Amino acid sequence: MPEPPSPSRRVLDLVAERQAARGRKDFDRADALLDHVRAAGWLIQDTSGGAVLVEAPPWDPVDPARVTPRWDEPDGHEVSLIVHALGWPEDVRRAVVSLASHCAGVDYEVLLVDDGAGGVTGRALEDLASSDTRVRVLHLDTPLGFGAAMNLGMGQATGRVLVWLDPHVEAVGDLLSPLLGALAEPGTGLAGGWGVITRSMLEFEASDGPEVDAIEGYLLAVPRSLAARVRLDPRHRYYRNADLDFSFAVRDLGDGPRPLRAVRVHVPAARHRHRAYHETDPAERERASKRNYDRFLSRWKPRTDLLTRGFTGYHRHPS
């Protein structure tokens, strides 16, 4: 087997210079040296044991601080689907291929946000993009977390309607047309395959709707013109409950006394094992979910006027 590549003396000197810059808190210089190391074909990963060099993949990463959002550009597609990819590229592939099989009648693009998922996933996503011109990949060297990554993806999309698509959702028919049809109804701000309601603001439960309090982020559609006016909280690093916050923010954009509607529609879709849930340590999953929910509650607890089934008081139902 060929020997793995090793960094040159110049690269090692750049790493040492960066460490010195960090030591004297010259972070601008340290960031510039990161770029030089990346240009030489290497990435610096900061660990508890110090800086580690790994070979850079053959694609240009996205620097969120240098990317110009495209909200002001005209619509370039009917739909943009944004997929948050943390790994499990076979799931992403299944979701993307199912769109090509069943949604060919809709003009759509797919943005895969590679949230620092690593080389194996990154290469698999690049393979998907090379086989389907509707697919673009935004690679991040350093994970941003769900909220910031989805903001980045939505900001680079040009579809008239933006659709969050979780990789565990597989189209078994045209799932985009029902979403577009629901959003065409006046007063509708969000549509999706699954929705939830609450009467207490402390607990949400699944509902067949059609009108619901929030759309679950597994399949959530929103006009780009509305999404441009709200942002996901970048502190929502985990996906759970971020959709509640986003749904309430969109619904609050109604012009009159009545908020915009969130509509659950029946879509031809199959749901497989949700890796981001089941493959996350249960204790960390609960901590991250609670943090997101606490942020949601601190922002929206007084807005009981947004509840479609009425408000019965801030109390939890007995289990």
Side-chain angles (χ1 to χ4, degrees), residues 2-26:
E3 289 291 322
S6 57
S8 67
R9 170 50 57 187
R10 174 178 174 271
V11 169
L12 295 176
D13 289 344
L14 289 170
V15 174
E17 186 180 350
R18 175 181 178 267
Q19 296 305 97
R22 283 165 59 89
R24 61 177 184 270
K25 300 188 184 303
D26 186 355

Side-chain angles (χ1 to χ4, degrees), residues 123-180:
R123 284 187 287 273
L125 300 186
E126 284 293 317
D127 289 343
L128 269 177
S130 66
S131 64
D132 189 339
T133 58
R134 292 168 293 195
V135 178
R136 289 190 284 141
V137 187
L138 303 176
H139 294 284
L140 296 165
D141 281 344
T142 303
L144 290 180
F146 183 81
M150 290 299 286
N151 283 338
L152 174 67
M154 288 190 291
Q156 292 303 299
T158 61
R160 183 183 66 83
V161 170
L162 306 184
V163 175
W164 298 7
L165 177 67
D166 193 90
H168 85 290
V169 175
E170 177 186 10
V172 296
D174 177 5
L175 54 69
L176 296 180
S177 293
L179 300 176
L180 294 174

Side-chain angles (χ1 to χ4, degrees), residues 183-194:
L183 290 177
E185 294 295 322
T188 301
L190 300 131
W194 299 276

Side-chain angles (χ1 to χ4, degrees), residues 46-256:
D46 294 310
T47 71
S48 58
V52 175
L53 277 173
V54 296
E55 192 176 8
W59 53 73
D60 292 327
V62 173
D63 182 349
R66 300 178 183 175
V67 173
T68 301
R70 305 178 67 182
W71 295 112
D72 294 332
E73 294 185 19
D75 297 337
H77 301 276
E78 183 67 5
V79 173
S80 292
L81 296 110
I82 298 93
V83 181
H84 184 227
L86 291 170
W88 311 292
E90 65 277 9
D91 291 5
V92 178
R93 177 176 177 79
R94 180 183 60 217
V96 172
V97 170
S98 73
L99 295 171
S101 299
H102 298 290
C103 303
V106 178
D107 172 29
Y108 72 84
E109 66 169 351
V110 181
L111 280 78
L112 306 177
V113 184
D114 169 12
D115 196 7
V120 172
T121 295
R123 284 187 287 273
L125 300 186
E126 284 293 317
D127 289 343
L128 269 177
S130 66
S131 64
D132 189 339
T133 58
R134 292 168 293 195
V135 178
R136 289 190 284 141
V137 187
L138 303 176
H139 294 284
L140 296 165
D141 281 344
T142 303
L144 290 180
F146 183 81
M150 290 299 286
N151 283 338
L152 174 67
M154 288 190 291
Q156 292 303 299
T158 61
R160 183 183 66 83
V161 170
L162 306 184
V163 175
W164 298 7
L165 177 67
D166 193 90
H168 85 290
V169 175
E170 177 186 10
V172 296
D174 177 5
L175 54 69
L176 296 180
S177 293
L179 300 176
L180 294 174
L183 290 177
E185 294 295 322
T188 301
L190 300 131
W194 299 276
V196 293
I197 59 170
T198 182
R199 295 177 177 84
S200 67
M201 283 288 197
L202 302 180
E203 294 175 319
F204 280 80
E205 60 185 39
S207 172
D208 286 337
E211 191 168 349
V212 292
D213 295 332
I215 297 296
E216 294 190 72
Y218 308 133
L219 184 68
L220 179 154
V222 58
R224 186 162 69 112
S225 59
L226 295 180
R229 298 167 59 188
V230 299
R231 294 292 183 274
L232 272 164
D233 190 327
R235 294 174 297 174
H236 293 331
R237 295 192 58 83
Y238 192 49
Y239 80 95
R240 289 186 76 195
N241 300 323
D243 47 10
L244 301 181
D245 193 20
F246 186 78
S247 291
F248 273 54
V250 171
R251 293 187 58 220
D252 193 39
L253 296 176
D255 292 331

